[in-house]
Amino acid sequence: MESTESSYMSSPEAPRKRSPPPPKSPTSDSMEKATYMKFLVSNAAAGSVIGKGGSTITDFQSQSGARIQLSRNHEFFPGTTDRIIMISGTINDVLKAVELILAKLLSELHAEGSDDVEPKTKVRLVVPNSSCGGIIGKGGSTIKSFIEESHAGIKISPQDNSYYGLNDRLVTLVGTLDEQMLAIDLILSKLSEDPHYYQSMNAPFSYPAPQNAMSYGTNGAGGKFQNNKEDRSNSMTIGVADGHIGFVVGRGGRNIMEIGQVTGARIKISDRGDFVTGTTNRKVTITGSHRAIRAAESMIMQKVAYASERVID
């Protein structure tokens, strides 16, 4: 998915340290108005944000004054194996909580390596499609100004039409913590001017399944009603980028056989050149019980996520 993102990206030559953002011009009323920010974290990162017995997340909420919520263990953003964090409160409270969380994750990254250079990391914000236009601006003017001011790389993913009813897109920020926080400050301030942005504040964490994913009945005709029996002929077809299929299959088919053995699902990959209509994604058809299909899809998407990270890095 990453490779199809829009090309609003920057690699500034002269990184700079973030000084505290200057007071902004909006009225104090707008600064006190409740807003929110959603972004993605891996399952492992979610655990460190929560802390033992919820101690870390409780501490972060106390320090920031914001409310911090996480999607459940297997509630992932479509096309990823990442959970969603939602932070709500005033703009300043939300920014404080985001910084506490990103600093925590960065400190653990530092602990794993001895490199003294502040690393450039990636954070993916979840933004309603209807609000992305405001971030981009006319002819890309707004996003370009955000890139110049923050020195962070900023990319906005295209609308993903494979998930019926998915109205969110990913805004990926690449940079140091200071660069990311300045970019988030600019983006959140812009989003908070958009009345439509607030309408998505109470949207659920769960997302719809891929369009035309489930077909019920032994003939695969896609009937309206689910068979009451645990029908073994349910199937789901997902698209996987042609370049990532090798990671799903594995050497000698090892990965795909393991996924089939662990989940009990049958997995079939379309031939070379047989793509999901309008894309260069190969068709991966998963057949079995609902539970087997969900488990197999999760394992496949983990392989795809790993492949995406390898490509980016």
Side-chain angles (χ1 to χ4, degrees), residues 186-302:
L186 292 164
I187 289 169
L188 183 58
S189 297
K190 187 68 178 176
L191 289 172
S192 296
E193 297 170 4
D194 178 6
H196 297 293
Y197 184 63
Y198 295 98
Q199 294 174 6
S200 305
M201 188 166 178
N202 297 314
F205 281 127
S206 57
Y207 284 92
Q211 194 169 3
N212 300 326
M214 293 303 224
S215 59
Y216 301 119
T218 53
N219 60 0
K224 289 184 179 179
F225 303 102
Q226 180 175 351
N227 193 324
N228 288 329
K229 296 178 181 178
E230 183 69 353
D231 192 340
R232 293 285 165 183
S233 66
N234 297 316
S235 67
M236 161 188 273
T237 298
I238 58 177
V240 173
D242 197 33
H244 294 164
I245 283 292
F247 287 86
V248 175
V249 174
R251 184 172 294 176
R254 183 174 59 189
N255 290 350
I256 204 164
M257 283 193 294
E258 179 188 359
I259 293 170
Q261 288 170 354
V262 169
T263 64
R266 295 189 302 280
I267 303 160
K268 182 182 178 183
I269 296 174
S270 65
D271 297 331
R272 288 180 184 273
D274 183 5
F275 299 131
V276 176
T277 306
T279 74
T280 55
N281 294 337
R282 299 268 288 278
K283 301 172 189 172
V284 179
T285 302
I286 311 166
T287 305
S289 67
H290 296 305
R291 182 177 298 177
I293 289 171
R294 285 195 300 269
E297 183 199 14
S298 177
M299 291 182 73
I300 289 168
M301 295 316 297
Q302 284 178 349

Side-chain angles (χ1 to χ4, degrees), residues 22-243:
K24 288 191 166 54
S25 52
T27 63
S28 59
D29 182 52
S30 69
M31 293 300 286
E32 291 303 315
K33 191 175 181 181
T35 190
Y36 73 99
M37 176 62 72
K38 289 181 183 176
F39 60 99
L40 303 186
V41 291
S42 66
N43 248 331
S48 68
V49 171
I50 295 167
K52 192 172 183 180
S55 58
T56 304
I57 199 169
T58 301
D59 181 43
F60 285 175
Q61 289 186 125
S62 176
Q63 286 188 56
S64 66
R67 185 183 183 197
I68 305 172
Q69 300 166 271
L70 278 90
S71 63
R72 288 180 294 188
N73 200 23
H74 293 292
E75 283 184 339
F76 300 136
F77 187 85
T80 76
T81 52
D82 291 332
R83 289 164 68 179
I84 305 134
I85 289 185
M86 186 174 97
I87 302 172
S88 52
T90 66
I91 289 180
N92 288 335
D93 291 350
V94 170
L95 290 172
K96 177 65 176 173
V98 172
E99 186 157 25
L100 286 167
I101 292 170
L102 295 184
K104 165 79 172 173
L105 300 179
L106 188 62
S107 69
E108 296 186 354
L109 190 65
H110 263 308
E112 293 173 7
S114 57
D115 196 344
D116 291 328
V117 179
E118 187 176 359
K120 285 185 179 291
T121 57
K122 178 174 69 176
V123 61
R124 290 185 288 181
L125 312 179
V126 179
V127 177
N129 183 49
S130 59
S131 299
C132 285
I135 299 174
I136 295 170
K138 190 173 183 179
S141 58
T142 304
I143 197 169
K144 287 173 185 173
S145 72
F146 288 176
I147 289 169
E148 289 170 8
E149 188 169 345
S150 68
H151 280 239
I154 305 175
K155 293 190 293 183
I156 299 181
S157 69
Q159 178 77 10
D160 188 347
N161 295 318
S162 61
Y163 291 85
Y164 179 77
L166 173 60
N167 297 312
D168 290 330
R169 291 161 75 177
L170 295 178
V171 178
T172 302
L173 312 177
V174 178
T176 64
L177 177 60
D178 286 335
E179 291 164 352
Q180 288 174 344
M181 283 308 304
L182 186 46
I184 290 170
D185 189 354
L186 292 164
I187 289 169
L188 183 58
S189 297
K190 187 68 178 176
L191 289 172
S192 296
E193 297 170 4
D194 178 6
H196 297 293
Y197 184 63
Y198 295 98
Q199 294 174 6
S200 305
M201 188 166 178
N202 297 314
F205 281 127
S206 57
Y207 284 92
Q211 194 169 3
N212 300 326
M214 293 303 224
S215 59
Y216 301 119
T218 53
N219 60 0
K224 289 184 179 179
F225 303 102
Q226 180 175 351
N227 193 324
N228 288 329
K229 296 178 181 178
E230 183 69 353
D231 192 340
R232 293 285 165 183
S233 66
N234 297 316
S235 67
M236 161 188 273
T237 298
I238 58 177
V240 173
D242 197 33

